[in-house]
Amino acid sequence: MPQLLLELFQEEIPARMQKQAAEDLRRLMLKALAEKGLGTHEAIVHVTPRRLAFVIENLPAASEAVSEELKGPRTSAPPAALDGFLKKTGLGKDQLQVQADPKGDFYIARIEKAGRPAPAIIAEAIVETVRAFPWPKSMKWEASGLQWVRPLRSILCLFDGAVVPVEIAGLTAANVTRGHRQMANEPFEVSDFADYEMKLRERRVILDRAERMQIIDEQAERAAADAGLTFLDDDELLEEVAGLVEYPVVLTGAFDPAFLEVPQEVLIGTMRKNQKYFALTDANGKLAEKFLIVSNLEARDGGKAII
């Protein structure tokens, strides 16, 4: 069965909001799709500073036809009650059935609802999800009144390889996205999730957050070893920094050794909180004058200017 791929591409999402945003996108989209008859499914969600991506495999091509039975007023009820029931169901009196009951017969309406094509349901689900998204902080930047974390720049939405016709805040979905802001910021087309992920990687975007964390961790360990020092593990900072970059490159910087007169707890605290730097220690566990930074690009000079 077909695949659904959705990407919401925007200005940078604050790192502290990304993990919850991915969970909220999963929860809201699955809920909306299920309520509209496309069943219950597993979804993969990825988040980077500039994109939220949502993927479902084997989504039905249409919702199933359903038969609904509604209980109406008693046959002895005033005409107004029957008129209201007919208006609610969209049926005529001759289309109703009467069900016997010891306390008084009553009308029954049996309504057959045909299945709906998945693209129409998906479009509705996306609009509802975006409009109801619970960002802890958001902004409004255009006339539709959309509240979003940062300006939404494009929507990519494919179902079974075809573009889903969805429009939000003046943006119309397409099969196009962009790569890394500095290194590959040209638009490109995709056909499905595998193609999307591969082409992003070619354009210096590592889509998977866990992979970005692993790359930072491995590069940091190597950089520390090259300096003859030890990388001070910091899982919280690692997760935050992975939310600041789409293509992590670890570099080694240094500060004036005179600052080591300051208690190392103070230096480590300000490096991690204010500058997002990883501290390095020597063989005795003492803070070194070198530290690690995570760049969001592969600089032509090897990072010399950044350092």
Side-chain angles (χ1 to χ4, degrees), residues 3 5 158 161 190-197:
Q3 178 195 83
L5 170 62
L158 297 174
V190 303
S191 58
D192 58 20
F193 177 70
D195 187 49
Y196 167 77
E197 186 176 32

Side-chain angles (χ1 to χ4, degrees), residues 26-39:
R26 184 200 316 272
R27 173 178 56 84
L28 291 173
M29 278 294 295
L30 291 179
K31 180 174 181 288
L33 292 171
E35 289 177 346
K36 297 176 186 299
L38 282 186

Side-chain angles (χ1 to χ4, degrees), residues 135-199:
W135 293 108
K137 288 187 178 181
S138 60
M139 60 185 295
K140 181 170 65 176
W141 70 94
E142 49 79 54
S144 77
L146 176 65
Q147 295 283 139
W148 200 248
V149 62
R150 296 287 187 272
L152 192 61
R153 294 306 187 196
S154 69
I155 303 167
L156 182 153
C157 191
L158 297 174
F159 179 69
D160 198 19
V163 174
V164 175
V166 57
E167 188 273 333
I168 302 172
L171 299 172
T172 302
N175 63 339
V176 176
T177 187
R178 290 177 178 268
H180 190 280
R181 183 187 288 277
Q182 282 82 28
M183 295 188 287
N185 199 25
E186 296 301 317
F188 62 93
E189 296 183 352
V190 303
S191 58
D192 58 20
F193 177 70
D195 187 49
Y196 167 77
E197 186 176 32
M198 178 189 69
K199 288 179 177 176

